[in-house]
Amino acid sequence: SAGEVVYRNAWHCLKHTVETNGVASLYKGISSPLLGSIAENGLLFFAYNKCKEALGEVPGAPELSLFQLSLAGAGAGCVVPFVITPVELVKCRLQVQNAGKAAGFREYKGPIDVVVKTLKTEGVWNGLYRGNLSTLIREIPGNFCWYGVYEGVCKSMIPEGGTKADLGPSAHLLGGASAGVAYWTAFYPADTVKSYIQTNPNHAAKGFIEVFQSVYAREGLKGLYRGWGITAARAAPAHAAIFAGYEYTMKLLGPSQNSNASFTMHESVRD
């Protein structure tokens, strides 16, 4: 349709968005993930530690294996979608408004307006939690790889005869950057499907498999991984900085705090 814009690549999207809506439009929807990250991180922190306990972690005992830590991350990934799905729905619906009414997208005044209109017309489960299955399918392998890759990189860089405490900022930066890319690479198509289900009226009533097959039939793997490059490029420095800052903070707080902490700070910048 005349009002619909199909972006050729990330640069075309950036250029068109700034030209038509200004620089501020690049940050449309940012308040939703910022506000939701508090509950999101708290839940992931709780779930990750409970999963580690269930896998046999005991204070003062040897650390869990890399596979066990990854499993704990996957376990946390089973829980956190019930917090982040509504947050991401609000964010995504605000971000696609540039497509305009001609493309079938609704227009909203802000995050609260999205919540109110969605609840009124679609309800809770079929509205705010639309796309929850897609989020779950993304989060389980994503968190498995996120925790596993970070811990794996750090373990591989421990000097002979040393411990994780001997690692410097370079290890944390490399581990965080690798973990961020791994998270989004694990199953990026799930995020693509989620965005279609949450924002596109033509796919609102469809299930994960149906939308997945539709995108694949129309655009192939390229369509399912559309946007992966810019997302991974954003994730690498963001997660590197988060991990380096987190580890430094834990050292300042002391070993008692460090031993009880979990690596959940990435959620506020991951999406």
Side-chain angles (χ1 to χ4, degrees):
S1 57
E4 185 175 1
V5 178
V6 178
Y7 298 115
R8 297 187 295 272
N9 49 50
W11 174 249
H12 180 218
C13 177
L14 175 65
K15 184 172 181 291
H16 179 269
T17 301
V18 173
E19 288 178 348
T20 56
N21 296 281
V23 176
S25 65
L26 296 174
Y27 295 91
K28 190 176 292 292
I30 193 174
S31 60
S32 176
L34 283 177
L35 293 174
S37 65
I38 298 175
E40 178 184 345
N41 287 330
L43 178 60
L44 191 61
F45 178 93
F46 178 80
Y48 180 59
N49 279 285
K50 285 299 180 182
C51 287
K52 290 196 294 183
E53 290 177 9
L55 290 170
E57 181 183 69
V58 179
E63 188 179 40
L64 296 177
S65 69
L66 184 60
F67 181 69
Q68 288 175 314
L69 292 171
S70 299
L71 281 180
C78 293
V79 180
V80 76
F82 293 96
V83 170
I84 67 175
T85 296
V87 173
E88 293 193 1
L89 180 135
V90 172
K91 179 196 69 174
C92 289
R93 290 192 174 184
L94 287 172
Q95 290 176 333
V96 300
Q97 288 189 109
N98 290 343
K101 290 182 178 180
F105 296 102
R106 298 184 65 174
E107 294 185 358
Y108 303 97
K109 298 176 182 178
I112 301 300
D113 192 39
V114 177
V115 174
V116 171
K117 288 182 177 178
T118 300
L119 286 174
K120 185 176 180 180
T121 60
E122 302 172 58
V124 178
W125 186 252
N126 291 323
L128 288 180
Y129 279 91
R130 186 181 302 281
N132 191 60
L133 177 61
S134 302
T135 307
L136 187 67
I137 294 173
R138 182 195 71 191
E139 289 297 306
I140 294 176
N143 278 289
F144 180 94
C145 293
W146 196 91
Y147 286 100
V149 168
Y150 178 74
E151 292 289 354
V153 170
C154 287
K155 285 178 181 291
S156 70
M157 298 183 72
I158 295 176
E160 186 176 354
T163 66
K164 190 177 178 181
D166 299 320
L167 294 175
S170 60
H172 303 143
L173 288 168
L174 180 60
S178 301
V181 174
Y183 169 84
W184 283 109
T185 304
F187 197 33
Y188 188 81
D191 191 70
T192 300
V193 172
K194 178 190 71 67
S195 296
Y196 271 104
I197 292 175
Q198 290 183 328
T199 64
N200 194 319
N202 296 322
H203 295 287
K206 299 178 182 178
F208 178 87
I209 294 178
E210 186 177 1
V211 176
F212 183 97
Q213 292 176 333
S214 174
V215 176
Y216 181 76
R218 188 172 65 252
E219 303 179 62
L221 284 176
K222 183 178 179 180
L224 290 169
Y225 279 91
R226 188 178 303 281
W228 172 85
I230 191 68
T231 302
R234 176 200 67 186
H239 291 228
I242 288 293
F243 269 112
Y246 175 83
E247 294 284 8
Y248 181 72
T249 302
M250 289 301 101
K251 286 184 179 180
L252 290 179
L253 291 176
S256 61
Q257 292 291 329
N258 190 47
S259 62
N260 293 320
S262 69
F263 305 110
T264 59
M265 296 293 291
H266 68 290
E267 288 293 330
S268 60
V269 298
R270 199 169 61 183
D271 304 311

